[in-house]
Amino acid sequence: MSIHTPRIEKKVTLTTIAKMKGEEPITMVTAYDALFAKIFDGEVEMILVGDSLNMSFLGKEDTLSATMDQMIYHTQAVCNGATLPVIVLDMPFGTYMTPEDAVKNATRAYQETNAQAVKIEGGKERAHIVEALTQNSIAVLGHIGLMPQFIRSEGGYKIRGKEQADIDRLVEDAKAIEAAGAFAIVVEGVKAEAAKAITEAVSVPTIGIGAGNATDGQVLVWSDMFGFFESFKPKFVKQYFDGAKQVREGLESYRNEVKSREFPSDEYTY
């Protein structure tokens, strides 16, 4: 049974997020422009400017060709539209291969946008990157499990945590990036029991996507959850309404009214 929760009325901070672990589930969605960010403002605690925009809005096959310039541009737009959530810039592939590159690019993100944090993919092998960023006053949202930036090297999208040995590896990854300073961890595409083990193993919040409901929060891509992205629908996505259908119906009405000269009527004429 769902409950009605009030809108968020004051600025959400990283401290707010930390205190929510084990107390109240965290809500997070993606956004890529000021228009939708303004709609989401006050409705969720966090907004991720995800490199998923490369697929949803640029029509690419994966996220790997997203650039720092693109991510900064879209984050600027989101920051113009939303003022209350924690806004996270997704660091694109190739921008944090070394600590030096990571600090350089994330510093640019901080200087050119109002994002409160950056997100990077990877477990213990990226702990030194997380540490380099946090030691330079850059907040980091970690990301483990199924990692879209690893799709080519992994040979596709593969669900993690099916065996105990893999669960143990995921827990080790989570602990490593927590120790390196990550303020929270996205856990994507893992079995529910693995996500539960990860959540219980760390003191920072976990935010699940395709990871069951034992995590400390959830994140979805907005164009998936509202039915606008039609290329495919992952199993974990719940569509809260069919946005594409409603837009087409509206366009059909517009087209018909223009063709029949019903629009614009006197009501819409100076």
Side-chain angles (χ1 to χ4, degrees):
M1 179 179 177
S2 62
I3 61 173
H4 176 73
T5 54
R7 292 186 79 257
I8 298 163
E9 300 291 344
K10 63 179 182 179
K11 174 64 182 172
V12 180
T13 67
L14 298 183
T15 301
T16 309
I17 300 300
K19 291 179 177 178
M20 292 178 73
K21 183 176 178 70
E23 297 294 329
E24 179 185 350
I26 299 162
T27 56
M28 184 180 194
V29 295
T30 64
Y32 313 114
D33 57 51
L35 178 65
F36 276 90
K38 189 170 185 179
I39 293 172
F40 301 156
D41 199 23
E43 303 295 342
V44 294
E45 284 86 19
M46 299 179 71
I47 289 179
L48 171 66
V49 187
D51 60 3
S52 52
L53 66 86
N54 213 45
M55 300 170 68
S56 299
F57 294 95
L58 291 178
K60 300 295 184 67
E61 291 185 356
D62 55 40
T63 66
L64 274 65
S65 61
T67 68
M68 201 68 202
D69 284 345
Q70 288 173 320
M71 298 310 302
I72 286 175
Y73 172 83
H74 287 278
T75 303
Q76 289 172 338
V78 169
C79 290
N80 287 339
T83 60
L84 297 176
V86 169
I87 296 174
V88 181
L89 180 150
D90 207 356
M91 294 286 284
F93 179 78
T95 62
Y96 53 95
M97 296 299 192
T98 67
E100 293 76 19
D101 284 344
V103 171
K104 177 182 177 181
N105 287 312
T107 297
R108 183 184 168 201
Y110 262 35
Q111 289 176 332
E112 297 182 33
T113 79
N114 287 326
Q116 284 84 46
V118 299
K119 182 176 78 66
I120 69 170
E121 297 181 10
K124 63 181 181 180
E125 78 283 357
R126 291 279 168 82
H128 67 298
I129 303 291
V130 175
E131 184 175 16
L133 291 170
T134 57
Q135 286 184 345
N136 281 279
S137 302
I138 297 167
V140 176
L141 174 63
H143 185 154
I144 64 172
L146 187 159
M147 296 175 289
Q149 292 182 8
F150 285 56
I151 180 175
R152 295 184 192 174
S153 62
E154 295 288 339
Y157 297 108
K158 297 181 180 179
I159 302 303
R160 298 285 307 276
K162 294 181 178 180
E163 300 175 354
Q164 186 59 48
D166 196 33
I167 294 175
D168 293 342
R169 283 191 290 269
L170 289 166
V171 168
E172 188 178 355
D173 283 338
K175 287 183 175 180
I177 58 178
E178 176 191 23
F183 75 91
I185 304 169
V186 169
V187 180
E188 179 172 1
V190 307
K191 300 290 286 185
E193 57 268 30
K196 185 175 187 293
I198 294 165
T199 300
E200 292 174 349
V202 296
S203 60
V204 296
T206 58
I207 301 173
I209 176 168
N213 66 4
T215 54
D216 297 300
Q218 299 290 330
V219 58
L220 283 176
V221 173
W222 82 262
S223 52
D224 289 342
M225 65 189 292
F226 296 143
F228 286 96
F229 187 70
E230 299 179 296
S231 296
F232 62 89
K233 178 183 173 293
K235 181 182 187 301
F236 60 81
V237 171
K238 177 178 179 179
Q239 287 189 346
Y240 286 84
F241 67 86
D242 192 341
K245 179 182 178 182
Q246 294 193 32
V247 169
R248 287 194 184 96
E249 289 175 349
L251 280 171
E252 182 181 7
S253 296
Y254 166 73
R255 184 179 68 247
N256 292 339
E257 290 185 7
V258 171
K259 297 294 186 181
S260 67
R261 295 194 180 277
E262 180 181 350
F263 177 84
S265 62
D266 289 345
E267 181 183 358
Y268 303 104
T269 303
Y270 291 111

PDB file of all heavy atoms in Angstrom, residues 195-229:
ATOM      1  N   ALA A 195      22.026  -7.106  -2.909  1.00  0.00           N
ATOM      2  CA  ALA A 195      21.817  -5.705  -2.539  1.00  0.00           C
ATOM      3  C   ALA A 195      21.591  -5.561  -1.032  1.00  0.00           C
ATOM      4  O   ALA A 195      22.065  -4.609  -0.410  1.00  0.00           O
ATOM      5  CB  ALA A 195      20.629  -5.140  -3.307  1.00  0.00           C
ATOM      6  N   LYS A 196      20.882  -6.511  -0.455  1.00  0.00           N
ATOM      7  CA  LYS A 196      20.643  -6.495   0.993  1.00  0.00           C
ATOM      8  C   LYS A 196      21.956  -6.655   1.756  1.00  0.00           C
ATOM      9  O   LYS A 196      22.224  -5.941   2.728  1.00  0.00           O
ATOM     10  CB  LYS A 196      19.670  -7.604   1.375  1.00  0.00           C
ATOM     11  CG  LYS A 196      19.252  -7.625   2.844  1.00  0.00           C
ATOM     12  CD  LYS A 196      18.183  -8.684   3.074  1.00  0.00           C
ATOM     13  CE  LYS A 196      17.626  -8.626   4.495  1.00  0.00           C
ATOM     14  NZ  LYS A 196      18.647  -9.012   5.500  1.00  0.00           N
ATOM     15  N   ALA A 197      22.806  -7.583   1.296  1.00  0.00           N
ATOM     16  CA  ALA A 197      24.096  -7.793   1.945  1.00  0.00           C
ATOM     17  C   ALA A 197      24.976  -6.557   1.845  1.00  0.00           C
ATOM     18  O   ALA A 197      25.657  -6.183   2.819  1.00  0.00           O
ATOM     19  CB  ALA A 197      24.802  -8.995   1.307  1.00  0.00           C
ATOM     20  N   ILE A 198      24.964  -5.911   0.692  1.00  0.00           N
ATOM     21  CA  ILE A 198      25.750  -4.689   0.501  1.00  0.00           C
ATOM     22  C   ILE A 198      25.258  -3.586   1.432  1.00  0.00           C
ATOM     23  O   ILE A 198      26.040  -2.917   2.107  1.00  0.00           O
ATOM     24  CB  ILE A 198      25.668  -4.222  -0.965  1.00  0.00           C
ATOM     25  CG1 ILE A 198      26.344  -5.233  -1.888  1.00  0.00           C
ATOM     26  CG2 ILE A 198      26.294  -2.840  -1.140  1.00  0.00           C
ATOM     27  CD1 ILE A 198      26.015  -5.047  -3.358  1.00  0.00           C
ATOM     28  N   THR A 199      23.940  -3.408   1.471  1.00  0.00           N
ATOM     29  CA  THR A 199      23.340  -2.348   2.288  1.00  0.00           C
ATOM     30  C   THR A 199      23.672  -2.532   3.766  1.00  0.00           C
ATOM     31  O   THR A 199      23.947  -1.565   4.483  1.00  0.00           O
ATOM     32  CB  THR A 199      21.818  -2.324   2.075  1.00  0.00           C
ATOM     33  OG1 THR A 199      21.551  -2.083   0.689  1.00  0.00           O
ATOM     34  CG2 THR A 199      21.153  -1.240   2.904  1.00  0.00           C
ATOM     35  N   GLU A 200      23.660  -3.773   4.219  1.00  0.00           N
ATOM     36  CA  GLU A 200      23.952  -4.060   5.625  1.00  0.00           C
ATOM     37  C   GLU A 200      25.444  -3.960   5.948  1.00  0.00           C
ATOM     38  O   GLU A 200      25.817  -3.777   7.102  1.00  0.00           O
ATOM     39  CB  GLU A 200      23.437  -5.452   5.979  1.00  0.00           C
ATOM     40  CG  GLU A 200      21.913  -5.557   5.958  1.00  0.00           C
ATOM     41  CD  GLU A 200      21.417  -6.979   6.176  1.00  0.00           C
ATOM     42  OE1 GLU A 200      22.258  -7.912   6.124  1.00  0.00           O
ATOM     43  OE2 GLU A 200      20.197  -7.144   6.396  1.00  0.00           O
ATOM     44  N   ALA A 201      26.285  -4.040   4.915  1.00  0.00           N
ATOM     45  CA  ALA A 201      27.731  -4.065   5.129  1.00  0.00           C
ATOM     46  C   ALA A 201      28.354  -2.677   5.221  1.00  0.00           C
ATOM     47  O   ALA A 201      29.475  -2.537   5.712  1.00  0.00           O
ATOM     48  CB  ALA A 201      28.412  -4.844   4.010  1.00  0.00           C
ATOM     49  N   VAL A 202      27.630  -1.649   4.738  1.00  0.00           N
ATOM     50  CA  VAL A 202      28.197  -0.293   4.735  1.00  0.00           C
ATOM     51  C   VAL A 202      27.343   0.656   5.561  1.00  0.00           C
ATOM     52  O   VAL A 202      26.150   0.423   5.762  1.00  0.00           O
ATOM     53  CB  VAL A 202      28.342   0.252   3.292  1.00  0.00           C
ATOM     54  CG1 VAL A 202      29.344  -0.585   2.511  1.00  0.00           C
ATOM     55  CG2 VAL A 202      26.998   0.287   2.583  1.00  0.00           C
ATOM     56  N   SER A 203      27.961   1.728   6.018  1.00  0.00           N
ATOM     57  CA  SER A 203      27.247   2.705   6.843  1.00  0.00           C
ATOM     58  C   SER A 203      26.732   3.875   6.030  1.00  0.00           C
ATOM     59  O   SER A 203      26.031   4.743   6.563  1.00  0.00           O
ATOM     60  CB  SER A 203      28.170   3.219   7.958  1.00  0.00           C
ATOM     61  OG  SER A 203      29.324   3.831   7.406  1.00  0.00           O
ATOM     62  N   VAL A 204      27.057   3.910   4.733  1.00  0.00           N
ATOM     63  CA  VAL A 204      26.542   4.970   3.858  1.00  0.00           C
ATOM     64  C   VAL A 204      25.308   4.435   3.132  1.00  0.00           C
ATOM     65  O   VAL A 204      25.147   3.220   2.983  1.00  0.00           O
ATOM     66  CB  VAL A 204      27.600   5.446   2.845  1.00  0.00           C
ATOM     67  CG1 VAL A 204      28.783   6.079   3.564  1.00  0.00           C
ATOM     68  CG2 VAL A 204      28.057   4.300   1.948  1.00  0.00           C
ATOM     69  N   PRO A 205      24.416   5.323   2.676  1.00  0.00           N
ATOM     70  CA  PRO A 205      23.205   4.867   1.982  1.00  0.00           C
ATOM     71  C   PRO A 205      23.520   4.165   0.672  1.00  0.00           C
ATOM     72  O   PRO A 205      24.466   4.515  -0.046  1.00  0.00           O
ATOM     73  CB  PRO A 205      22.425   6.167   1.730  1.00  0.00           C
ATOM     74  CG  PRO A 205      22.965   7.139   2.715  1.00  0.00           C
ATOM     75  CD  PRO A 205      24.405   6.784   2.882  1.00  0.00           C
ATOM     76  N   THR A 206      22.711   3.169   0.352  1.00  0.00           N
ATOM     77  CA  THR A 206      22.755   2.520  -0.959  1.00  0.00           C
ATOM     78  C   THR A 206      21.496   2.904  -1.728  1.00  0.00           C
ATOM     79  O   THR A 206      20.415   3.009  -1.151  1.00  0.00           O
ATOM     80  CB  THR A 206      22.822   0.995  -0.830  1.00  0.00           C
ATOM     81  OG1 THR A 206      21.679   0.530  -0.091  1.00  0.00           O
ATOM     82  CG2 THR A 206      24.097   0.555  -0.134  1.00  0.00           C
ATOM     83  N   ILE A 207      21.662   3.131  -3.008  1.00  0.00           N
ATOM     84  CA  ILE A 207      20.539   3.521  -3.862  1.00  0.00           C
ATOM     85  C   ILE A 207      20.428   2.502  -4.981  1.00  0.00           C
ATOM     86  O   ILE A 207      21.321   2.367  -5.807  1.00  0.00           O
ATOM     87  CB  ILE A 207      20.743   4.937  -4.424  1.00  0.00           C
ATOM     88  CG1 ILE A 207      20.869   5.947  -3.263  1.00  0.00           C
ATOM     89  CG2 ILE A 207      19.579   5.318  -5.340  1.00  0.00           C
ATOM     90  CD1 ILE A 207      21.234   7.339  -3.693  1.00  0.00           C
ATOM     91  N   GLY A 208      19.338   1.761  -4.993  1.00  0.00           N
ATOM     92  CA  GLY A 208      19.194   0.654  -5.911  1.00  0.00           C
ATOM     93  C   GLY A 208      18.546   1.023  -7.230  1.00  0.00           C
ATOM     94  O   GLY A 208      17.735   1.949  -7.310  1.00  0.00           O
ATOM     95  N   ILE A 209      18.916   0.273  -8.262  1.00  0.00           N
ATOM     96  CA  ILE A 209      18.219   0.322  -9.541  1.00  0.00           C
ATOM     97  C   ILE A 209      18.291  -1.099 -10.092  1.00  0.00           C
ATOM     98  O   ILE A 209      19.375  -1.602 -10.397  1.00  0.00           O
ATOM     99  CB  ILE A 209      18.819   1.371 -10.510  1.00  0.00           C
ATOM    100  CG1 ILE A 209      18.106   1.294 -11.875  1.00  0.00           C
ATOM    101  CG2 ILE A 209      20.324   1.264 -10.635  1.00  0.00           C
ATOM    102  CD1 ILE A 209      18.409   2.475 -12.803  1.00  0.00           C
ATOM    103  N   GLY A 210      17.158  -1.756 -10.127  1.00  0.00           N
ATOM    104  CA  GLY A 210      17.152  -3.164 -10.467  1.00  0.00           C
ATOM    105  C   GLY A 210      17.836  -3.999  -9.412  1.00  0.00           C
ATOM    106  O   GLY A 210      18.539  -4.959  -9.728  1.00  0.00           O
ATOM    107  N   ALA A 211      17.612  -3.650  -8.137  1.00  0.00           N
ATOM    108  CA  ALA A 211      18.317  -4.323  -7.039  1.00  0.00           C
ATOM    109  C   ALA A 211      17.385  -4.652  -5.871  1.00  0.00           C
ATOM    110  O   ALA A 211      17.849  -4.819  -4.746  1.00  0.00           O
ATOM    111  CB  ALA A 211      19.481  -3.449  -6.555  1.00  0.00           C
ATOM    112  N   GLY A 212      16.085  -4.713  -6.122  1.00  0.00           N
ATOM    113  CA  GLY A 212      15.160  -5.031  -5.044  1.00  0.00           C
ATOM    114  C   GLY A 212      14.885  -3.844  -4.139  1.00  0.00           C
ATOM    115  O   GLY A 212      15.335  -2.727  -4.398  1.00  0.00           O
ATOM    116  N   ASN A 213      14.159  -4.103  -3.051  1.00  0.00           N
ATOM    117  CA  ASN A 213      13.740  -2.994  -2.181  1.00  0.00           C
ATOM    118  C   ASN A 213      14.427  -2.954  -0.823  1.00  0.00           C
ATOM    119  O   ASN A 213      13.966  -2.258   0.088  1.00  0.00           O
ATOM    120  CB  ASN A 213      12.219  -3.005  -1.999  1.00  0.00           C
ATOM    121  CG  ASN A 213      11.732  -4.233  -1.239  1.00  0.00           C
ATOM    122  OD1 ASN A 213      12.518  -5.049  -0.781  1.00  0.00           O
ATOM    123  ND2 ASN A 213      10.419  -4.355  -1.107  1.00  0.00           N
ATOM    124  N   ALA A 214      15.548  -3.673  -0.675  1.00  0.00           N
ATOM    125  CA  ALA A 214      16.256  -3.648   0.601  1.00  0.00           C
ATOM    126  C   ALA A 214      17.292  -2.537   0.673  1.00  0.00           C
ATOM    127  O   ALA A 214      17.886  -2.309   1.722  1.00  0.00           O
ATOM    128  CB  ALA A 214      16.929  -4.998   0.853  1.00  0.00           C
ATOM    129  N   THR A 215      17.511  -1.824  -0.432  1.00  0.00           N
ATOM    130  CA  THR A 215      18.466  -0.718  -0.429  1.00  0.00           C
ATOM    131  C   THR A 215      17.863   0.490   0.278  1.00  0.00           C
ATOM    132  O   THR A 215      16.668   0.539   0.564  1.00  0.00           O
ATOM    133  CB  THR A 215      18.857  -0.337  -1.869  1.00  0.00           C
ATOM    134  OG1 THR A 215      17.663  -0.087  -2.616  1.00  0.00           O
ATOM    135  CG2 THR A 215      19.643  -1.451  -2.536  1.00  0.00           C
ATOM    136  N   ASP A 216      18.699   1.489   0.536  1.00  0.00           N
ATOM    137  CA  ASP A 216      18.254   2.676   1.272  1.00  0.00           C
ATOM    138  C   ASP A 216      17.502   3.669   0.405  1.00  0.00           C
ATOM    139  O   ASP A 216      16.969   4.657   0.905  1.00  0.00           O
ATOM    140  CB  ASP A 216      19.460   3.382   1.912  1.00  0.00           C
ATOM    141  CG  ASP A 216      20.163   2.499   2.936  1.00  0.00           C
ATOM    142  OD1 ASP A 216      19.507   2.096   3.913  1.00  0.00           O
ATOM    143  OD2 ASP A 216      21.352   2.210   2.740  1.00  0.00           O
ATOM    144  N   GLY A 217      17.471   3.433  -0.892  1.00  0.00           N
ATOM    145  CA  GLY A 217      16.750   4.318  -1.804  1.00  0.00           C
ATOM    146  C   GLY A 217      16.646   3.686  -3.171  1.00  0.00           C
ATOM    147  O   GLY A 217      17.130   2.578  -3.404  1.00  0.00           O
ATOM    148  N   GLN A 218      16.005   4.411  -4.089  1.00  0.00           N
ATOM    149  CA  GLN A 218      15.821   3.921  -5.452  1.00  0.00           C
ATOM    150  C   GLN A 218      16.093   5.056  -6.430  1.00  0.00           C
ATOM    151  O   GLN A 218      15.855   6.221  -6.126  1.00  0.00           O
ATOM    152  CB  GLN A 218      14.396   3.411  -5.669  1.00  0.00           C
ATOM    153  CG  GLN A 218      13.994   2.251  -4.780  1.00  0.00           C
ATOM    154  CD  GLN A 218      14.706   0.959  -5.115  1.00  0.00           C
ATOM    155  OE1 GLN A 218      15.063   0.719  -6.272  1.00  0.00           O
ATOM    156  NE2 GLN A 218      14.906   0.105  -4.116  1.00  0.00           N
ATOM    157  N   VAL A 219      16.575   4.681  -7.634  1.00  0.00           N
ATOM    158  CA  VAL A 219      16.732   5.639  -8.721  1.00  0.00           C
ATOM    159  C   VAL A 219      16.207   5.007  -9.998  1.00  0.00           C
ATOM    160  O   VAL A 219      16.362   3.810 -10.220  1.00  0.00           O
ATOM    161  CB  VAL A 219      18.215   6.066  -8.908  1.00  0.00           C
ATOM    162  CG1 VAL A 219      19.122   4.891  -9.177  1.00  0.00           C
ATOM    163  CG2 VAL A 219      18.342   7.110 -10.015  1.00  0.00           C
ATOM    164  N   LEU A 220      15.520   5.820 -10.812  1.00  0.00           N
ATOM    165  CA  LEU A 220      15.080   5.394 -12.136  1.00  0.00           C
ATOM    166  C   LEU A 220      15.363   6.499 -13.144  1.00  0.00           C
ATOM    167  O   LEU A 220      15.417   7.681 -12.784  1.00  0.00           O
ATOM    168  CB  LEU A 220      13.579   5.076 -12.148  1.00  0.00           C
ATOM    169  CG  LEU A 220      13.134   3.732 -11.542  1.00  0.00           C
ATOM    170  CD1 LEU A 220      11.612   3.628 -11.557  1.00  0.00           C
ATOM    171  CD2 LEU A 220      13.759   2.552 -12.280  1.00  0.00           C
ATOM    172  N   VAL A 221      15.531   6.094 -14.388  1.00  0.00           N
ATOM    173  CA  VAL A 221      15.663   7.049 -15.502  1.00  0.00           C
ATOM    174  C   VAL A 221      14.268   7.568 -15.819  1.00  0.00           C
ATOM    175  O   VAL A 221      13.344   6.787 -16.055  1.00  0.00           O
ATOM    176  CB  VAL A 221      16.291   6.368 -16.727  1.00  0.00           C
ATOM    177  CG1 VAL A 221      16.276   7.303 -17.935  1.00  0.00           C
ATOM    178  CG2 VAL A 221      17.717   5.916 -16.414  1.00  0.00           C
ATOM    179  N   TRP A 222      14.110   8.886 -15.829  1.00  0.00           N
ATOM    180  CA  TRP A 222      12.759   9.451 -15.914  1.00  0.00           C
ATOM    181  C   TRP A 222      12.038   9.071 -17.209  1.00  0.00           C
ATOM    182  O   TRP A 222      10.827   8.834 -17.205  1.00  0.00           O
ATOM    183  CB  TRP A 222      12.777  10.973 -15.731  1.00  0.00           C
ATOM    184  CG  TRP A 222      13.112  11.785 -16.949  1.00  0.00           C
ATOM    185  CD1 TRP A 222      14.314  12.317 -17.274  1.00  0.00           C
ATOM    186  CD2 TRP A 222      12.211  12.156 -18.005  1.00  0.00           C
ATOM    187  NE1 TRP A 222      14.232  12.995 -18.470  1.00  0.00           N
ATOM    188  CE2 TRP A 222      12.948  12.925 -18.933  1.00  0.00           C
ATOM    189  CE3 TRP A 222      10.864  11.932 -18.256  1.00  0.00           C
ATOM    190  CZ2 TRP A 222      12.385  13.447 -20.096  1.00  0.00           C
ATOM    191  CZ3 TRP A 222      10.306  12.456 -19.423  1.00  0.00           C
ATOM    192  CH2 TRP A 222      11.063  13.198 -20.313  1.00  0.00           C
ATOM    193  N   SER A 223      12.772   8.986 -18.315  1.00  0.00           N
ATOM    194  CA  SER A 223      12.122   8.651 -19.581  1.00  0.00           C
ATOM    195  C   SER A 223      11.687   7.191 -19.628  1.00  0.00           C
ATOM    196  O   SER A 223      10.793   6.826 -20.400  1.00  0.00           O
ATOM    197  CB  SER A 223      13.046   8.977 -20.757  1.00  0.00           C
ATOM    198  OG  SER A 223      14.319   8.377 -20.578  1.00  0.00           O
ATOM    199  N   ASP A 224      12.293   6.347 -18.799  1.00  0.00           N
ATOM    200  CA  ASP A 224      11.844   4.960 -18.654  1.00  0.00           C
ATOM    201  C   ASP A 224      10.575   4.889 -17.814  1.00  0.00           C
ATOM    202  O   ASP A 224       9.576   4.288 -18.207  1.00  0.00           O
ATOM    203  CB  ASP A 224      12.920   4.100 -17.982  1.00  0.00           C
ATOM    204  CG  ASP A 224      14.121   3.827 -18.868  1.00  0.00           C
ATOM    205  OD1 ASP A 224      14.005   3.991 -20.099  1.00  0.00           O
ATOM    206  OD2 ASP A 224      15.172   3.454 -18.324  1.00  0.00           O
ATOM    207  N   MET A 225      10.603   5.531 -16.652  1.00  0.00           N
ATOM    208  CA  MET A 225       9.501   5.403 -15.705  1.00  0.00           C
ATOM    209  C   MET A 225       8.234   6.110 -16.175  1.00  0.00           C
ATOM    210  O   MET A 225       7.133   5.771 -15.747  1.00  0.00           O
ATOM    211  CB  MET A 225       9.915   5.926 -14.322  1.00  0.00           C
ATOM    212  CG  MET A 225      10.223   7.411 -14.270  1.00  0.00           C
ATOM    213  SD  MET A 225      10.959   7.942 -12.691  1.00  0.00           S
ATOM    214  CE  MET A 225       9.600   7.722 -11.565  1.00  0.00           C
ATOM    215  N   PHE A 226       8.379   7.064 -17.087  1.00  0.00           N
ATOM    216  CA  PHE A 226       7.211   7.773 -17.596  1.00  0.00           C
ATOM    217  C   PHE A 226       6.862   7.376 -19.032  1.00  0.00           C
ATOM    218  O   PHE A 226       6.060   8.039 -19.693  1.00  0.00           O
ATOM    219  CB  PHE A 226       7.417   9.282 -17.498  1.00  0.00           C
ATOM    220  CG  PHE A 226       7.556   9.768 -16.073  1.00  0.00           C
ATOM    221  CD1 PHE A 226       8.427  10.786 -15.753  1.00  0.00           C
ATOM    222  CD2 PHE A 226       6.830   9.187 -15.045  1.00  0.00           C
ATOM    223  CE1 PHE A 226       8.573  11.232 -14.445  1.00  0.00           C
ATOM    224  CE2 PHE A 226       6.960   9.619 -13.732  1.00  0.00           C
ATOM    225  CZ  PHE A 226       7.835  10.639 -13.435  1.00  0.00           C
ATOM    226  N   GLY A 227       7.461   6.302 -19.521  1.00  0.00           N
ATOM    227  CA  GLY A 227       7.041   5.713 -20.783  1.00  0.00           C
ATOM    228  C   GLY A 227       7.417   6.473 -22.041  1.00  0.00           C
ATOM    229  O   GLY A 227       6.748   6.323 -23.070  1.00  0.00           O
ATOM    230  N   PHE A 228       8.484   7.247 -21.993  1.00  0.00           N
ATOM    231  CA  PHE A 228       8.908   7.981 -23.182  1.00  0.00           C
ATOM    232  C   PHE A 228       9.959   7.227 -23.992  1.00  0.00           C
ATOM    233  O   PHE A 228      10.053   7.393 -25.200  1.00  0.00           O
ATOM    234  CB  PHE A 228       9.452   9.359 -22.806  1.00  0.00           C
ATOM    235  CG  PHE A 228       8.387  10.337 -22.420  1.00  0.00           C
ATOM    236  CD1 PHE A 228       8.055  10.544 -21.092  1.00  0.00           C
ATOM    237  CD2 PHE A 228       7.693  11.054 -23.379  1.00  0.00           C
ATOM    238  CE1 PHE A 228       7.060  11.436 -20.724  1.00  0.00           C
ATOM    239  CE2 PHE A 228       6.695  11.946 -23.035  1.00  0.00           C
ATOM    240  CZ  PHE A 228       6.376  12.136 -21.701  1.00  0.00           C
ATOM    241  N   PHE A 229      10.783   6.425 -23.322  1.00  0.00           N
ATOM    242  CA  PHE A 229      11.830   5.676 -24.014  1.00  0.00           C
ATOM    243  C   PHE A 229      11.260   4.318 -24.404  1.00  0.00           C
ATOM    244  O   PHE A 229      10.940   3.486 -23.562  1.00  0.00           O
ATOM    245  CB  PHE A 229      13.054   5.503 -23.103  1.00  0.00           C
ATOM    246  CG  PHE A 229      14.237   4.885 -23.796  1.00  0.00           C
ATOM    247  CD1 PHE A 229      14.934   5.587 -24.760  1.00  0.00           C
ATOM    248  CD2 PHE A 229      14.661   3.606 -23.476  1.00  0.00           C
ATOM    249  CE1 PHE A 229      16.037   5.029 -25.405  1.00  0.00           C
ATOM    250  CE2 PHE A 229      15.760   3.039 -24.109  1.00  0.00           C
ATOM    251  CZ  PHE A 229      16.446   3.754 -25.074  1.00  0.00           C
TER     252      PHE A 229
END
